[in-house]
Amino acid sequence: MAPRQKPTSATQQAKQHTQLDFGSLNIQVLRRYRQAFKLNVKARSSKDDLVLAASRHFTSHMVDEVDTIARFLYTVHSNKGTSETPIANVDSAASRHQS
């Protein structure tokens, strides 16, 4: 009889299966990614160097989908009746959280 495997959460399963082929992206997109996330790669790096740096950066970030969705719904609900868009508030909240 085979031992039972420990059940994995949806977040862990998504992390295992989420892949992005940075090699298929245009070099201009990779340069913008480098600039947006301030990756420690020279501006005139080769596409291979940019792909490697972007891949490492992308895989180093863990996102808790449940928490993210809950925060998004809370933001949308909290901003009902205001002139501000919920997306703008989420962006500003994210920038405060990263500081």
Side-chain angles (χ1 to χ4, degrees), residues 32-95:
R32 279 184 264 155
Y33 187 96
R34 180 199 63 82
Q35 187 176 17
F37 292 103
K38 298 178 175 103
L39 301 182
N40 191 18
V41 179
K42 294 179 182 177
R44 295 287 181 178
S45 296
S46 68
K47 182 175 180 176
D48 290 339
D49 291 339
L50 292 169
V51 166
L52 183 61
S55 297
R56 285 183 180 160
H57 175 262
F58 185 78
T59 57
S60 71
H61 288 77
M62 295 203 42
V63 175
D64 181 355
E65 290 91 357
V66 173
D67 183 54
T68 303
I69 292 169
R71 288 174 187 256
F72 176 77
L73 292 174
Y74 173 79
T75 302
V76 169
H77 179 68
S78 298
N79 291 316
K80 281 186 178 177
T82 66
S83 60
E84 295 184 35
T85 62
I87 300 302
N89 290 335
V90 170
D91 288 342
S92 64
S95 65

Side-chain angles (χ1 to χ4, degrees), residues 8-19:
T8 58
S9 71
T11 303
Q12 290 170 334
Q13 290 174 354
K15 177 78 173 151
Q16 292 170 356
H17 298 293
T18 303
Q19 293 182 5

